[in-house]
Amino acid sequence: MTAPDDTAARYRRPVPVLWWTGRRPYLLFMIREFSSVFVAWSVVYLLLLVRAVAAGPAAYRGFMELSASWWMLALNVAALALTLFHTITWFVVTPKAVAVRVLGVRLPAFMVAGPLYTAWIAVSAFVVWLLVR
Amino acid sequence: MSAEPAMRAAETAGESIVLRVSRYLPGRDAEPVPRDYEVPLREEWSVLDGLNHVKDVLDGSLAYRWSCRMGICGSCGMTVNGEPRLTCGTFLSEFAPGPVVVEPLRGFAVIRDLVVDIEPFLGKLASVTPWLVRNGAEPPPDAEFAQTPEQLGAYKQFSMCINCMLCYSACPVYALDEDFLGPAAIALAQRYNLDSRDMGAAARFDVLAAAGGVWDCTYVGECSAACPKGVDPAGAIQQYKLTAAMETVRRFLLPKGAR
Amino acid sequence: MSASTDVLIVGGGGAGLRAAIAVAETDPRLRVAIVSKVYPMRSHTVSAEGGAAGVIGIGDTLDEHAYDTVSGGDWLCDQEAVELFVREAPRELLRLEHWGCPWSREGDGRVAVRPFGGMKRLRTWFAADKTGFHLLHTLFQTSLSHPGVERYDEWFVTRLLVDDGRVRGVVAIDITTGRVETITARAVILTTGGCGKVFPFTTNAGIKTGDGMALAYRAGAPLKDMEFVQYHPTGLPFTGILITEAARAEGGWLLNKDGYRYLQDYDLGTPSPTPVLRSMELGPRDRLSQAFVHEVEKGRAVDSPYGPVVHLDLRHLGARKIDAKIPFVRELCRDYENIDPVTDLVPVRPVVHYMMGGVHTDIDGATPVQGLFAAGETACVSINGANRLGSNSLPELLVFGARAGVAAVEHCARAAPAGEPAALAADERRRIETLRRRENGRDSLAAVRTGMQRALEDGAGIYRSADSLLKAGETLRELQERYARLGVRDHSTTFNTELIALLELGNMLDVAETIVRCALLREESRGAHQRTDFPRRDDRRFLANSLVYRQDDGPGRVEYLPVRITRWPPAERVYGR
């Protein structure tokens, strides 16, 4: 007996909407992508600050009060955490994207990422110094 | 079936494990149906040995691809317990007490059972000019192009691709957009771009930097994790993004004649 | 429905791809098609590890390569073919270099060469220990640059259409759809590789089922020297996975259970800490595999769950050298044996590796059937004689693949376009359709295949005798009868691999018969063919290649063709002294 094969039929597995929840690497990837929203928020927040400073002491006070509200604090703590996460993921990626070869031998990842972390710490230290001096 | 003396030698305690194999025959099945087969659990048996046992003893109609059984021909990639793997290099004992769920590679259309359609890859591979381009510059007569071990080292890693398709299967971008060139094709393009003997980078740029090229990659990084040969296609793509960005700027700034 | 082409190549491995490129370069107006049962990059060329021999080194000469090949082949090689082969091999390897093959290099950028078994000089080019892989992918990717090369990937050829003594094309199954189609052609080149799967324990991939040999044999072309089956001395137990000869070339030792380098007891030289060419571990494969059998008989082998083994000792090479020169060996040992050659001894035993024999061809790959060519392991020119030297097979498939391609182009210029032999094609289509519909009884394909493999191992292994061969022949006849009654459980058309496996088994049974037949009639011991009842080489009777022709009933008819001796008269094979 011959099975009446429909040879043109190929089965395509549908991609579920929540495909990224099934595997840890996919989930981390989605968090990384999502974290860029918070990076953008940090920029917007900075712009709001600049606008408030430019508009005079009253506006600045209003901005500071807004910033002290519980939900704004929560938002900014989340933004800080996710921005840190975002930064680190990029620093992890950099040695993969930038293949530095010295005398024909590719530099190990830490030698490419190391300067990035060093620069990051230096800038942060400078900012802290500005704030506390 | 590959090692008959072994079959004689390895009659052990008679343990077994269940292979839960995805079956699909167009015209009969609307979608894949899992089917259980009990196969002997032997320490040295790969998942492929288990499938061969099914085909030889339990059900001859099972369709899957295999050949070298030593991880170099790239035929036997399947999804094993959710992960893209070469079944010849994945051992049953890893999954004891079972079941071992064997499905076709994800991201591809299924032709039958565990066999997927890789024709799209063949087309993508051919589109990236995966050969040495010399633009009419003749090779040295009766001599080789000199290439130092350092120059060889610059592209060697990307030349190790066995076209097993595990990277495509791990790539969510490819699953969502089949026009994406994908990890292996880009890594192989980069293999030639980085070869000191090659002059084809400009031609490949037009494909790699176009729609469906490197910019579609969102760097999930799972292609490199899935690669059984350490090729690191994700690295190849990110490196090329840098190259492509510089090249785009260069083309924008320089007048045509000076390129 | 039928398609047509000018040059049709059956098999997409190294020889087939090289032939296709040769056709495309020689006459771009010709149509060339590769029909292969697997995608080209899956072909077994991919598994070759150690290297490819070609004279480039200072102090090496073509004559020395030729002499090593002739003496390695126990004087059964066609010496004219060997001279041509060694002359063209370096040119072919250079072409591969020009196409981008990542050959391993010296510090100054020249191609590096390594020692190899039976070779008096360093002349084996290598790409670490994945030479075949790189060679195949380079050829495949280069073939993509020729738009004229058409491919039928995952098509299985079931019959050569031969009409009036001339080849007219093939009938093939499109595995994906199950359609049986005719592809007419003016010339057909067979490049399907060997038939290692007729044996139970082999380095060969599952696809190596002697298809091209069987196709040619049934089409009336003789097979040559089928009794010469190469056992590689170092395969991993259980899987049969190859551990390359390069492991010994880089300095590995073979030890018996007492840690003793036993090869010194078999007229292969005296041990020295570093490798000596044409000596000890760098002796020829036939002699090393035979030495293993004697060690087992003396009770000096190591017992393992998979029978006796010996040890390959690489520990003294150190991790750096192993990773630089033979990284795949380390990868395979780790993945398949759970050991690390840097610290552990590697268990190995002889394993069926290569067919010296094959479709009888001349130096242009031409067979006696007009328009039918063959190259690579499928063919027998013969440059390998009674025992192939390691690293001669990759240059062989390049040299003769290219020559067959060029010869096929020349044939097309002479041959008028042929019509389709419609009746033959229809017969074949009916045969396949009937087979696909035939119900299977209680017997099984796997049981017949296992029976065949056991018969060959027991009857036609490293050592054979009239008794063992007669018994194997008898078993094969019974298996042929069982085979004729086999059917399939899978009657579908989409990717029906059971039907393909059944057809492959038919091919293997025919090829197995020729091996046993030729081995029975060659009453001497030469190279890889060792008869316990005729332990000496007999140049008076058997300085000749055997040619076996298919008969409609009964075993094949065997004729002898005197070996072409030009410059190196038969002499003793000397290794290590």
Side-chain angles (χ1 to χ4, degrees), chain C residues 116-139:
Chain C
F116 233 71
M119 299 280 188
K120 187 72 184 155
R121 303 278 178 206
L122 271 59
R123 60 171 74 101
T124 297
W125 303 37
F126 59 102
D129 55 353
K130 290 188 180 173
T131 310
F133 161 78
H134 285 299
L135 189 141
L136 181 70
H137 280 253
T138 302
L139 285 171

Side-chain angles (χ1 to χ4, degrees), chain C residues 169-310:
Chain C
V170 302
V171 173
I173 306 173
D174 175 357
I175 299 174
T176 306
T177 63
R179 284 204 312 270
V180 183
E181 296 199 9
T182 307
I183 309 172
T184 58
R186 291 197 276 172
V188 172
I189 308 176
L190 298 170
T191 53
T192 58
C195 59
K197 291 307 279 186
V198 302
F199 285 83
F201 189 64
T202 173
T203 60
N204 284 193
I207 53 175
K208 292 197 62 185
T209 50
D211 304 331
M213 295 173 182
L215 287 171
Y217 188 52
R218 289 179 203 145
L223 302 183
K224 183 158 79 186
D225 291 345
M226 292 302 285
E227 62 272 41
F228 296 99
V229 179
Q230 177 164 82
Y231 278 74
H232 193 290
T234 58
L236 293 179
F238 179 62
T239 57
I241 287 171
L242 171 70
I243 296 300
T244 172
E245 196 159 296
R248 284 170 279 130
E250 296 298 341
W253 300 326
L254 284 171
L255 308 176
N256 66 16
K257 72 172 183 186
D258 306 318
Y260 173 72
R261 289 174 71 183
Y262 61 89
L263 293 176
Q264 61 190 287
D265 295 354
Y266 300 96
D267 194 21
L268 283 158
T270 47
S272 82
T274 50
V276 175
L277 294 157
R278 277 183 73 116
S279 173
M280 289 295 290
E281 283 84 359
L282 288 182
R285 290 172 177 175
D286 55 339
R287 296 276 299 274
L288 265 60
S289 293
Q290 290 150 21
F292 171 87
V293 176
H294 296 297
E295 283 297 293
V296 173
E297 282 166 359
K298 289 178 190 165
R300 303 202 301 193
V302 183
D303 286 324
S304 89
Y306 310 107
V309 297
V310 288

Side-chain angles (χ1 to χ4, degrees), chain B residues 8-258:
Chain B
R8 265 180 287 182
E11 298 297 343
T12 46
E15 282 181 274
S16 66
I17 191 164
V18 169
L19 280 186
R20 184 159 297 160
V21 181
S22 169
R23 301 299 308 265
Y24 169 73
L25 181 65
R28 184 189 69 191
D29 306 313
E31 59 175 30
V33 191
R35 187 146 169 220
D36 285 3
Y37 300 97
E38 198 168 314
V39 303
L41 174 59
R42 290 177 183 148
E43 200 196 333
E44 58 287 326
W45 270 28
S46 64
V47 173
L48 177 61
D49 289 318
L51 292 173
N52 283 339
H53 179 83
V54 172
K55 187 155 186 77
D56 286 351
V57 181
L58 304 174
D59 187 346
S61 70
L62 180 64
Y64 54 98
R65 294 188 180 108
W66 73 285
S67 182
C68 79
R69 58 78 181 88
M70 56 190 280
I72 193 76
C73 80
S75 305
C76 70
M78 299 170 207
T79 306
V80 182
N81 280 19
E83 301 285 329
R85 302 284 288 267
L86 289 182
T87 50
C88 72
T90 304
F91 293 85
L92 291 173
S93 52
E94 187 187 324
F95 307 100
V100 186
V101 182
V102 187
E103 298 164 299
L105 281 181
R106 290 176 187 163
F108 295 91
V110 181
I111 295 172
R112 176 174 181 180
D113 294 343
L114 301 166
V115 179
V116 295
D117 184 3
I118 65 165
E119 277 301 317
F121 167 73
L122 273 293
K124 291 173 202 295
L125 176 66
S127 78
V128 300
T129 320
W131 56 82
L132 205 71
V133 174
R134 290 294 299 171
N135 291 333
E138 291 299 315
D142 296 324
E144 67 268 41
F145 292 114
Q147 183 168 68
T148 63
E150 289 75 29
Q151 290 171 322
L152 172 65
Y155 69 89
K156 183 80 196 253
Q157 182 180 23
F158 301 141
S159 75
M160 305 305 278
C161 170
I162 61 172
N163 303 354
C164 67
M165 304 291 106
L166 299 196
C167 55
Y168 283 79
S169 189
C171 174
V173 177
Y174 183 68
L176 294 163
D177 174 15
E178 59 181 345
D179 291 333
F180 178 40
L181 273 179
I186 297 175
L188 283 164
Q190 189 67 343
R191 169 251 177 276
Y192 283 98
N193 281 340
L194 296 177
D195 191 322
S196 57
R197 301 166 289 185
D198 180 76
M199 300 175 170
R204 286 182 208 106
F205 172 83
D206 294 335
V207 179
L208 294 178
V214 290
W215 300 113
D216 281 14
C217 167
T218 54
Y219 197 67
V220 181
E222 277 302 275
C223 53
S224 292
C227 178
K229 296 287 137 182
V231 173
D232 190 16
I237 297 173
Q238 309 324 308
Q239 285 165 37
Y240 194 77
K241 281 179 182 170
L242 208 60
T243 310
M246 310 269 269
E247 179 65 18
T248 306
V249 170
R250 210 174 63 90
R251 288 192 180 196
F252 182 73
L253 292 178
L254 287 182
K256 223 177 173 124

